[in-house]
Amino acid sequence: MKINKFIRKNFRLLVYVLLVTSVTIYLFFSTSGSSQKNITKPNSNMITEELVDPGEETEETDNTLENPEEIVEAPVYDVTADQDETENRMAIIAGNPTEIEDHSIVAENSDYQLFLKESNLSIIIREKKTGAVMYSTVKNPIKSNEKWRNFVTSGVVVEYLVGTNIVYSQADMNSPQVSKKITPQPDGFDAAISFDELGIQLLLKVKINEHGLQVEVPAESIKEDNAQFKIGNMYLYPFLGYSKVDEEEGYMLIPDGSGALISLEDHHGQFNQPYSEPVYGTNYGIDDPYVLSLKNEQVTTSQPNMVTAPIFGMIHSEKKFGFIGIIQDGDYNARIEAYPNGAILPYNWITSKFTYRQFFNQSTSKDSGTMVVQQKERNQFDAKIQYNFVTGEDADYVGLAKRYRDYLLENKMITKSVNDQEFKIKLDFLGAEVKQGMISDETIAMTPFDDVDYILEELTRNDVENINAVLKGWQSKGIYGGYAQNQYNAEKSLGGNERLNQLLEKYHSKIPIYLYDDALRFNPATQNGTWFNIVTKLNKRTLVEEVYGSHFANFNFLQPQESSDLLMKRLSSQSISGYPGILLDGITNHLFSYYAKGIEYGRASTLNDYEKLIEGISEDNKLMMSTPIQPLWQYATSFVDTPMSSSSYVFEKEAVPFFSIALRGIVTRYSEYGNFSANKSDFKLQLIEQGVNPAFLLTMQNPSELKNTNSSNVYSSQFDDYKEEIIALYQELSQVNQEIGDTVIEEYSKMNNQVSVYFENGKKLLLNYGDEMETVENVAIPPHSYKVVQE
């Protein structure tokens, strides 16, 4: 009786509680996904941290979280909305219009027209020759919450922080008290934007040029007049080139590995997460690591391909119009984001997001306790994107790759390497490793210098002469124990300095022998950390790279200036001479923020230090670079560890050789180790198709000797096991390269198992990846084979 009376008395309260609970459950499941395979973003080199002297205190909050970067308020569209409602927007507009859908023309040149709607800074691009148009905002958003409606109809979106809050709030062109002052320019317009209530101001510059469209927000134009509100992230025309569900045929291009496509077709809600990766990889000075899957203390997940180039693309196949977006400035503080329809919204859209402030976990004591704080200083950079358009027959990913190649060459971001284009095989020799001995570390001589000499002689006797040899683990204490030395000294168990110098002198004019050098890492187990400047994260903890090695558990990073000082000392040391250059690793693909002596340094500072160092040493040394990021390409003799496929995200339609189309014939690229290729025949065909040279990791001793070392993952490397394979592959690939010649890719097509590659010099490469005979362009190609023909 008392219970019934209580229920009647509190009926409204109970209804309210049930309603809130239902909504919470709905939002949880709508944002957290379904049974569909989720995207994992593991990191095989786990970064942890050690607390150091915190120095000055930071402002405390009551919030903690595992991964601050992921805390973004993400509204979800109404799944009950009418999905059948079409956009009804013109794909082709003939004539010479001065207005399109309330957008007035503000600029034009011989190729393009630019239209603007001042109320929301929406723009429309029209290609004059064909009349094809591209829209930047949604005209009639389907039923959704207010936040997403404002997002999809705004040309500029700012995510800002309120006080010490750890959730981004949104300001856009539909926000209250937003003012815009438009100033016409000969090639476009400037828009002074002020969020009056927030005290945030910025200047948007939009212009058309001979290649397409350029949008920019200069760093100096950003003002934050209210200490309560700080800019966090910014989107510039995030919906440029969007499509609704499958109303247009085509795809989005993402810079995943070799390149990958996301189809614009209806995905029927099966993908609940977008592609979102930081340009140039994780910022280890701020970002917390991804959780790894471990089994028997071994890493069982792999890291997705790092974004080494700040590009993304969109192709509309029916109207034959598309673009490649190239982040020209602010790339080191940007992410590439691609949303297939069903991931948050029923639209396909791809964009870059510029990050000005992030969150991170700050320790409150040396023993326990953390709080989440905002990045104190705003990242200073110009946010600039160049959209280079493709039309007609060029409106596909091949056309995008060619536009990207032109961009790199015109801006001298890469130089065609004339003297290094001949075919060569790269052979890496693993010299010394260390394992735990009874009292101290025990050195294992896997490939002494005498054995390197023997292997090179054996191969040259079998007409394998065009070789680039690399010595890994050649230095004192081996490949991982020898980090952060101040001079070059060869490991004595391999033959020491004298024998190495003899080897270098013998092959000086025959086979270039490069020395491997990781200029980033420091091993605390073999060096005294108090003698070096080690990277401290912005939360004032020492950055620790967990590698789960069988001997060394973790490494540290050197501060950029320390990396520079030590590398210059090593290169100037007199103990080793006669080598043509080095294979540079570590600093070629790691950018991070860090804290030193009371100052926060951003990724721009780190990149600037690395670029000055690499530019200087490239004048006197040839530089092989391990998976280099785009700003460093101009200094590389060749790229090492080139991915030939993608990360195979569930939303990817297919991997494509985008970077091979752009770079083949421009710079020499070497594959990842052929030792570990599961399908040898397809590996060979991929090398031939993409113009990538093969690489192998070799040892004289059986790799079982590496069981208790950090190289325990090397399970197959003994020269005797690979001698015949190397000879056969070298002979075949050198012949193919001789037939094709030093030339770039002009066209490329793929249909099921058939691939056709067309070169600038008129040669044509036809490949068959299938298990049966195929006729490719009227030429019979045996299974898992190819032919080079003249057009």
Side-chain angles (χ1 to χ4, degrees), residues 155-411:
V156 176
V157 178
V158 170
E159 293 176 339
Y160 64 92
L161 299 166
V162 181
T164 58
N165 202 338
I166 61 168
V167 176
Y168 293 119
S169 299
Q170 180 176 301
D172 48 61
M173 297 303 96
N174 301 295
S175 298
Q177 296 186 357
V178 58
S179 59
K180 300 173 282 290
K181 181 181 178 181
I182 309 299
T183 303
Q185 299 293 340
D187 51 2
F189 66 91
D190 293 348
I193 304 170
S194 177
F195 299 99
D196 300 328
E197 187 177 6
L198 307 178
I200 295 176
Q201 303 168 31
L202 57 93
L203 178 66
L204 172 70
K205 302 172 73 68
V206 180
K207 61 182 180 181
I208 53 175
N209 51 40
E210 61 178 328
H211 300 297
L213 175 75
Q214 187 180 86
V215 297
E216 178 184 9
V217 172
E220 61 184 16
S221 74
I222 299 176
K223 308 296 181 186
E224 298 169 313
D225 296 333
N226 188 333
Q228 186 71 4
F229 303 105
K230 301 293 184 183
I231 187 170
N233 300 305
M234 184 189 299
Y235 293 92
L236 304 179
Y237 293 102
F239 262 64
L240 182 67
Y242 82 95
S243 70
K244 180 175 179 287
V245 192
D246 61 348
E247 289 183 5
E248 296 195 55
E249 293 183 2
Y251 46 79
M252 297 180 284
L253 168 75
I254 57 176
D256 176 27
S258 63
L261 306 181
I262 302 175
S263 173
L264 304 185
E265 65 187 7
D266 189 351
H267 301 299
H268 304 287
Q270 62 179 312
F271 305 139
N272 52 30
Q273 295 187 40
Y275 173 84
S276 180
E277 288 293 330
V279 176
Y280 308 145
T282 300
N283 183 350
Y284 296 119
I286 294 181
D287 297 329
D288 283 347
Y290 301 126
V291 177
L292 292 174
S293 173
L294 298 178
K295 183 177 181 181
N296 298 326
E297 297 185 349
Q298 296 294 318
V299 179
T300 60
T301 54
S302 59
Q303 183 179 9
N305 288 300
M306 184 183 72
V307 176
T308 58
I311 59 98
F312 55 95
M314 174 70 80
I315 290 293
H316 295 160
S317 300
E318 290 181 85
K319 61 186 177 186
K320 296 185 177 181
F321 199 19
F323 66 75
I324 179 169
I326 304 169
I327 308 176
Q328 292 183 309
D329 283 316
D331 44 344
Y332 38 79
N333 284 311
R335 298 182 74 88
I336 305 297
E337 298 191 336
Y339 286 73
N341 60 77
I344 307 297
L345 293 171
Y347 298 102
N348 303 290
W349 52 290
I350 188 167
T351 187
S352 61
K353 178 173 72 174
F354 294 99
T355 298
Y356 292 88
R357 284 187 180 84
Q358 293 178 249
F359 317 118
F360 55 86
N361 288 323
Q362 173 71 64
S363 296
T364 57
S365 70
K366 292 188 176 182
D367 299 322
S368 63
T370 61
M371 61 182 179
V372 178
V373 297
Q374 302 170 7
Q375 185 179 338
K376 183 190 301 183
E377 301 295 334
R378 185 177 80 229
N379 296 324
Q380 297 290 331
F381 58 88
D382 297 336
K384 183 189 293 186
I385 311 172
Q386 171 70 36
Y387 295 92
N388 286 357
F389 294 122
V390 290
T391 60
E393 298 303 316
D394 288 331
D396 56 20
Y397 64 84
V398 179
L400 298 184
K402 291 162 66 177
R403 289 290 186 277
Y404 183 49
R405 178 205 300 156
D406 293 342
Y407 171 81
L408 293 171
L409 292 172
E410 288 171 6
N411 291 275

